[in-house]
Amino acid sequence: MSDLVVSLPPGGLREALGDVPGVEFVEWDLTGPAPRDRLDIAVPPYWGGNRVLAALEGVEVRLVQWQSIGYNGVQKYLPAGVPLANAATVHETSTAELALALALAAQRGIPEFVREGEEHLWSGRMFPSLADRRVLLIGYGGVSKAVEGRLSGFEVEVTRLARTARTDRNLAGDEVPVRGFDELHDALADAEIVILAVPLTDETRGLLDASALAKLPDGALVVNVARGPVVDTEALMPELRSGRLRAALDVTDPEPLPADHPLWDCPNLLVTPHVGGDSSAMLPRMTALIRRQIERLRAGERPENLVIGDWAGGA
């Protein structure tokens, strides 16, 4: 008899996990009735949104294993008392890759060259480098640390800023200074490239509003791999239209960005459709995290990445 029951959405996770002795895997995408009255771990679909969590009402669930790092808005639908862990360790590498790709593409004019290439135009001209730029990382969690690690070979000057000023350690283990949000405007005034990787909270919603964007120097680039509402879209659009600022956005507000939204038509803009963590690296890392959570539950240990709810341990 299985001692743990784990629900998984349809797709590759079940095959990737294979057979785990003592674990019964059941397929459930949180639509329709629950396959069991009791689940040790429920893994919702990656693209299911927050609303699907309401399906857990009335089901005894020891742990919800979310497939994203961000979990803003889940408490509106998550039944009271159900613990939830986010997917830290899964998406940092892929999101950092995309942040760097967006910065490089925007700096070196790749979107313009691609569009001209489609028209068979050869129009060589100079674009700004990534090298020697002053880069401001807003947020200094796993994604920003991964971004910083990948920037280390590009000869940039990095400033770090987060909710609380502190001394932290980068991926190399070195102690580095982190400035607080109270210094946001001063830090923006000295930045040539801003990379946003903060969670969406009441404090970070609209963090880059009109007054903050106005502090950026002419020609600065805003890269957002956090959440769309961290940047005030209505304040950003006139800055793009005037040519004063540039942006590379993997996330937008609203999202998905409607086909008729005026942001699409702004110049100096590169948009990707929220694909930062969605790469071939996700499945093996998500699989490894679920395996670790299974072992922790078996041992009566606190799960990794617990961000909502308390953990009493035991079976």
Side-chain angles (χ1 to χ4, degrees), residues 136-147:
L136 173 63
L137 301 177
I138 298 184
Y140 199 61
V143 172
S144 283
K145 290 180 181 182
V147 171

Side-chain angles (χ1 to χ4, degrees), residues 22-313:
V23 177
E24 178 188 3
F25 293 107
V26 294
E27 188 175 284
W28 188 34
D29 61 1
L30 274 68
T31 62
R36 299 286 187 280
D37 294 332
R38 181 183 187 277
L39 297 170
D40 292 283
I41 303 175
V43 182
Y46 182 50
W47 291 113
N50 298 335
R51 288 181 174 85
V52 299
L53 292 171
L56 296 172
E57 190 69 51
V59 182
E60 183 183 348
V61 183
R62 293 178 66 196
L63 177 69
V64 174
Q65 177 56 64
W66 202 233
Q67 292 199 66
S68 297
I69 298 175
Y71 55 95
N72 52 287
V74 303
Q75 285 181 297
K76 182 178 179 181
Y77 302 98
L78 183 70
V82 176
L84 181 141
N86 75 350
T89 72
V90 173
H91 300 287
E92 289 85 346
T93 293
S94 292
T95 305
E97 285 178 351
L98 185 65
L100 185 59
L102 289 172
L104 279 168
Q107 287 296 99
R108 299 308 303 270
I110 300 303
E112 291 89 338
F113 289 135
V114 168
R115 285 192 289 267
E116 291 169 1
E118 291 174 346
E119 299 179 11
H120 299 189
L121 296 177
W122 183 282
S123 179
R125 58 199 182 278
M126 187 181 73
F127 281 89
S129 65
L130 180 55
D132 303 328
R133 301 282 75 81
R134 297 185 302 277
V135 178
L136 173 63
L137 301 177
I138 298 184
Y140 199 61
V143 172
S144 283
K145 290 180 181 182
V147 171
E148 182 181 26
R150 283 151 183 79
L151 285 170
S152 62
F154 284 90
E155 301 175 33
V156 299
E157 178 185 331
V158 175
T159 299
R160 307 154 199 88
L161 186 138
R163 182 177 182 274
T164 306
R166 61 184 186 271
T167 298
D168 207 329
R169 291 190 181 273
N170 61 20
L171 290 186
D174 302 320
E175 288 192 348
V176 292
V178 181
R179 300 167 71 177
F181 277 175
D182 59 331
E183 297 186 67
L184 174 65
H185 284 195
D186 288 342
L188 288 170
D190 194 44
E192 295 171 290
I193 299 173
V194 177
I195 300 178
L196 292 151
V198 291
L200 180 61
T201 64
D202 290 342
E203 191 172 12
T204 62
R205 186 179 296 273
L207 187 68
L208 260 60
D209 57 11
S211 63
L213 292 169
K215 294 295 182 181
L216 285 166
D218 293 354
L221 171 67
V222 175
V223 179
N224 190 3
V225 293
R227 288 292 185 267
V230 174
V231 178
D232 184 336
T233 302
E234 295 301 318
L236 177 64
M237 288 192 293
E239 295 280 19
L240 298 176
R241 292 187 187 115
S242 72
R244 201 184 77 79
L245 296 180
R246 300 170 296 130
L249 310 175
D250 184 47
V251 289
T252 60
D253 183 26
E255 187 177 302
L257 194 62
D260 60 351
H261 196 282
L263 182 63
W264 284 114
D265 296 319
C266 288
N268 307 304
L269 174 68
L270 173 59
V271 174
T272 54
H274 201 154
V275 293
D278 199 7
S279 79
S280 60
M282 178 181 172
L283 182 59
R285 291 166 190 248
M286 194 68 217
T287 301
L289 175 57
I290 292 170
R291 284 181 171 273
R292 294 197 303 272
Q293 300 291 45
I294 288 170
E295 292 308 312
R296 283 177 174 268
L297 263 63
R298 278 177 163 161
E301 297 175 354
R302 180 184 176 89
E304 290 185 33
N305 309 333
L306 195 65
V307 292
I308 294 176
D310 298 321
W311 186 254

